[in-house]
């Protein structure tokens, strides 16, 4: 910071809008306790440095910028005399960390009235005690409101996720219970049928052949492939005709089960060739029970696997058993979040994943990134009103990892695009949004991960782009390697 002292004129600084209501005595005190400095083009102070001075521009051009990821993003450029910056919250004292909230540079020789932070705090308390109390109340009230509503935002998200997870778990659990009940009934019928076969005029060789067929049938059920509706209908007709042609009653009831199990008339021919004609109806009935029990056990296995998958997704989403800061695979985080939000996304939103699986892991706070994904996906689904296409894309962009959420909704209007990351700003109806989701996401990505969160939007194509650094050079913590 290269400054050249200049004379301070009470009359000159009294013309600045910030000081125009002060008395000559007050202006004189400012000049005696402050100073006027002339700065050559270049940086004046950096964001995050201790805030030691309050600056009021007298003449020149000032540029203010904020750090976004690894870049300085210009937020203000002005030549308006009287604009001020620097230690603007010095009157609060040690109750908050006194650092510069932005970086300042000048593009031409620029004069500032400069007041030390302690002096600025003293004159504020002495000259405007009521205003200081009001400003303190506004500052801390806003902080408290943001914290409380932020907690409510998290609780609402948690409640929504819990409801969705409960719904997702209920379906496979109910299917498993239903299949278990039906399986018990089928096994009971199979025992009865076995007793009938054992008491019948069947030779040992016939029973042995029947058992071998049963084993081969069970193996075919496990390897069954899914047919198209048209293929399944044609095969049901073929099997029904075959059963009717061999005088087996209720063939139309047996055919759908055999088709679902991947069986066909060739299999039936093999059964007919392996057993005597007089025991064929009984053999077919016995094998039908075998097929049904195998299908039911497959259904139970699928249901329990689904439950296990959901539990694993919830565990991955919550990150309860993981280090808070570690090297993380963003694809695992994205997949667990999509599973957790499956109920809220609904059946009318098509989710397209365009993942670059070759991307490396990144240093991250995984639980907090999951909160970012949750907010961005929730906003996308709401913007599309529950119908459309959500595309989740990952890629390498320069030296950063890109996670992009693209929706086919109506887009973000240009007039509010610059405000969507502001605290408490929301476009949702009263009671449906707190306006903190994007603000929280921005702070997690930018402040905590030193990344960027950007939005690009036209009708039918809105993209929220999260850019994360691949290294942790800017972090004070060392990420743990995930297992």
């Amino acid at each position: 910071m290269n400054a050249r002292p200049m004379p301070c004129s009470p009359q000159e600084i009294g013309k600045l809008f910030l000081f125009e209501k002060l008395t000559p005595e007050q202006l004189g005190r400012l000049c005696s306790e402050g100073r006027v400095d002339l700065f050559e083009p270049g940086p004046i102070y950096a964001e995050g440095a201790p805030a030691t001075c309050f600056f009021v521009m007298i003449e020149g051009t000032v540029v203010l910028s904020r750090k976004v990821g690894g870049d300085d993003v210009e937020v203000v450029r002005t030549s308006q005399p009287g604009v001020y910056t620097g230690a603007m919250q010095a009157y609060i004292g040690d109750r908050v960390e006194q650092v510069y909230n932005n970086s300042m540079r000048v593009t031409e020789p620029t004069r500032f009235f400069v007041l030390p932070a302690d002096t600025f705090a003293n004159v504020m308390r002495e000259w405007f005690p009521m205003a200081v109390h009001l400003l303190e109340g506004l500052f801390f009230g806003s902080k408290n409101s943001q914290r409380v509503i932020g907690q409510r935002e998290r609780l609402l998200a948690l409640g929504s996720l819990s409801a969705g997870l409960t719904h997702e778990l209920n379906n496979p659990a109910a299917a498993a219970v239903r299949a278990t009940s039906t399986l018990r009934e089928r096994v009971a019928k199979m025992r009865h049928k076995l007793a009938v076969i054992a008491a019948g005029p069947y030779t040992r060789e016939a029973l042995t052949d029947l058992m071998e067929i049963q084993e081969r049938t069970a193996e075919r059920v496990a390897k069954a492939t899914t047919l198209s509706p048209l293929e399944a209908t044609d095969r049901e007709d073929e099997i029904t005709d075959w059963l009717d042609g061999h005088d087996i009653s209720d063939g139309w009831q047996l055919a759908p089960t055999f088709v679902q199990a991947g069986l066909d008339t060739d299999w039936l021919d093999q059964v007919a060739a392996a057993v005597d004609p007089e025991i064929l109806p009984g053999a077919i009935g016995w094998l039908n029970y075998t097929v049904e029990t195998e299908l039911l056990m497959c259904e139970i296995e699928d249901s329990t696997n689904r439950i296990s998958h959901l539990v694993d997704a919830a565990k991955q989403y919550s990150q309860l058993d993981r280090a808070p800061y570690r090297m993380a695979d963003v694809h695992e985080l994205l997949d667990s979040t999509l599973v957790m939000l499956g109920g809220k996304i609904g059946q009318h939103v098509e989710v397209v994943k365009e993942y670059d699986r070759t991307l490396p892991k990144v240093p991250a706070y995984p639980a907090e990134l999951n909160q970012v994904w949750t907010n961005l996906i929730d906003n996308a689904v709401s913007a599309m009103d529950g119908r459309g296409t959500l595309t989740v894309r990952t890629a390498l962009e320069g030296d950063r990892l890109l996670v992009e959420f693209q929706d086919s909704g109506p887009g973000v209007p240009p007039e509010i695009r610059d405000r969507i990351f502001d605290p408490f700003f929301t476009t949702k109806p009263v009671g449906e949004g707190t306006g903190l989701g994007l603000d929280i996401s921005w702070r997690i990505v930018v402040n905590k991960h030193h990344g960027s969160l950007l939005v690009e939007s036209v009708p039918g194509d809105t993209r929220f782009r999260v850019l994360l650094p691949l290294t942790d050079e800017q972090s004070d913590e060392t990420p743990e390697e995930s297992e």
Side-chain angles (χ1 to χ4, degrees):
M1 186 167 62
N2 185 18
R4 180 154 52 97
M6 303 289 289
C8 180
S9 167
Q11 291 76 22
E12 183 179 39
I13 66 173
K15 295 177 182 178
L16 302 174
F17 65 83
L18 194 63
F19 303 139
E20 61 185 359
K21 298 297 183 181
L22 298 184
T23 66
E25 292 77 12
Q26 290 173 322
L27 294 172
R29 178 180 173 182
L30 289 180
C31 266
S32 65
E33 298 189 22
R35 65 184 187 272
V36 173
D37 285 338
L38 174 64
F39 292 89
E40 295 299 325
I44 308 300
Y45 63 74
E47 180 180 349
T52 58
C53 295
F54 177 71
F55 296 84
V56 184
M57 189 179 74
I58 299 174
E59 63 177 353
T61 301
V62 64
V63 177
L64 300 180
S65 61
R66 293 291 305 272
K67 182 77 70 178
V68 179
D71 304 322
D72 281 320
V73 178
E74 182 177 316
V75 292
V76 173
R77 179 185 292 261
T78 181
S79 300
Q80 173 67 42
V83 296
Y84 53 89
T85 185
M88 294 184 294
Q89 295 168 348
Y91 59 87
I92 297 177
D94 296 336
R95 285 175 289 175
V96 298
E97 185 181 11
Q98 295 294 333
V99 296
Y100 291 119
N101 294 324
N102 51 43
S103 297
M104 181 171 72
R105 61 185 175 89
V106 295
T107 59
E108 61 177 320
T110 302
R111 284 195 303 142
F112 285 96
F113 173 71
V114 183
L115 200 59
D118 291 342
T119 303
F120 174 62
N122 290 335
V123 298
M124 284 288 292
R125 296 190 191 102
E126 181 180 338
W127 294 350
F128 313 107
M130 182 176 176
V132 167
H133 287 303
L134 291 172
L135 289 171
E136 288 178 343
L138 178 64
F139 178 82
F140 289 110
S142 175
K143 287 285 187 182
N144 290 335
S145 297
Q146 189 166 341
R147 184 175 62 254
V148 171
I149 296 181
Q151 292 171 346
R152 180 176 180 271
E153 182 91 5
R154 292 183 178 90
L155 287 173
L156 287 173
L158 179 61
S160 176
L161 288 172
S162 298
L165 180 60
T166 301
H167 174 75
E168 291 293 322
L169 285 170
N170 182 67
N171 289 337
V177 171
R178 183 173 60 252
T180 301
S181 176
T182 306
L183 179 62
R184 180 178 290 109
E185 177 186 339
R186 293 297 183 270
V187 170
K189 290 184 176 180
M190 182 180 288
R191 289 197 301 266
H192 174 72
K193 194 72 173 180
L194 180 61
V196 172
I197 291 175
Y202 304 121
T203 64
R204 181 186 298 271
E205 291 76 12
L207 290 175
T208 300
D209 292 342
L210 189 57
M211 294 303 174
E212 290 178 356
I213 294 173
Q214 182 187 38
E215 290 300 321
R216 294 202 303 269
T217 301
E219 291 176 3
R220 291 195 58 166
V221 173
K223 300 176 182 178
T225 58
T226 303
L227 301 178
S228 68
L230 183 59
E231 291 173 331
T233 300
D234 291 342
R235 186 171 293 185
E236 285 181 18
D237 291 340
E238 293 173 2
I239 291 178
T240 301
D241 292 341
W242 190 97
L243 294 172
D244 290 343
H246 288 75
D247 298 325
I248 297 174
S249 59
D250 298 327
W252 61 275
Q253 290 181 322
L254 301 177
T257 303
F258 289 162
V259 171
Q260 185 182 355
L263 307 179
D264 52 22
T265 54
D266 291 338
W267 169 78
L268 290 170
D269 288 336
Q270 293 174 23
V271 175
V275 301
D276 295 333
E278 63 270 14
I279 68 169
L280 180 61
I284 294 296
W286 163 259
L287 293 175
N288 177 61
Y289 289 136
T290 300
V291 170
E292 287 186 331
T293 56
E294 287 296 323
L295 291 174
L296 288 168
M297 285 189 287
C298 289
E299 184 176 349
I300 293 171
E301 182 181 22
D302 290 341
S303 298
T304 52
N305 283 340
R306 174 64 176 162
I307 292 172
S308 178
H309 177 63
L310 287 168
V311 172
D312 286 343
K315 185 178 178 182
Q316 171 72 27
Y317 180 85
S318 65
Q319 297 287 311
L320 290 178
D321 63 341
R322 305 291 183 92
Y325 184 60
R326 64 180 178 86
M327 299 300 294
D329 184 343
V330 294
H331 304 109
E332 293 179 356
L333 306 181
L334 290 167
D335 285 341
S336 66
T337 303
L338 288 169
V339 170
M340 293 293 290
L341 290 174
K344 190 161 193 176
I345 293 174
Q347 300 179 350
H348 301 295
V349 173
E350 180 186 4
V351 178
V352 178
K353 299 179 184 179
E354 296 182 0
Y355 291 171
D356 180 356
R357 295 284 186 179
T358 65
L359 294 175
K361 294 180 179 180
V362 294
Y365 297 86
E368 298 193 32
L369 283 184
N370 281 340
Q371 187 178 359
V372 174
W373 313 151
T374 299
N375 291 335
L376 297 181
I377 292 171
D378 180 57
N379 282 351
V381 173
S382 296
M384 294 185 290
D385 199 21
R387 290 180 178 273
T389 301
L390 170 66
T391 303
V392 184
R393 183 179 296 108
T394 63
L396 189 64
E397 191 161 298
D399 60 350
R400 294 191 288 179
L401 186 147
L402 168 69
V403 180
E404 183 178 82
F405 299 86
Q406 177 185 4
D407 70 71
S408 57
V412 182
E415 60 269 19
I416 68 170
R417 202 168 296 162
D418 293 336
R419 301 176 58 197
I420 59 175
F421 295 110
D422 292 347
F424 309 111
F425 178 79
T426 179
T427 59
K428 295 179 180 178
V430 175
E432 292 187 17
T434 61
L436 284 178
L438 289 178
D439 171 59
I440 291 171
S441 300
W442 193 90
R443 285 188 281 115
I444 290 173
V445 173
V446 176
N447 295 343
K448 198 146 191 179
H449 289 84
H450 308 289
S452 303
L453 177 55
L454 311 170
V455 60
E456 300 174 358
S457 183
V458 295
D461 184 0
T462 297
R463 305 182 185 208
F464 280 87
R465 297 164 51 83
V466 177
L467 290 160
L468 300 171
L470 298 176
T471 62
D472 63 327
E473 296 175 359
Q474 302 179 69
S475 176
D476 295 330
E477 298 185 56
T478 301
E480 293 187 11
E481 285 291 343
S482 58
E483 297 179 359

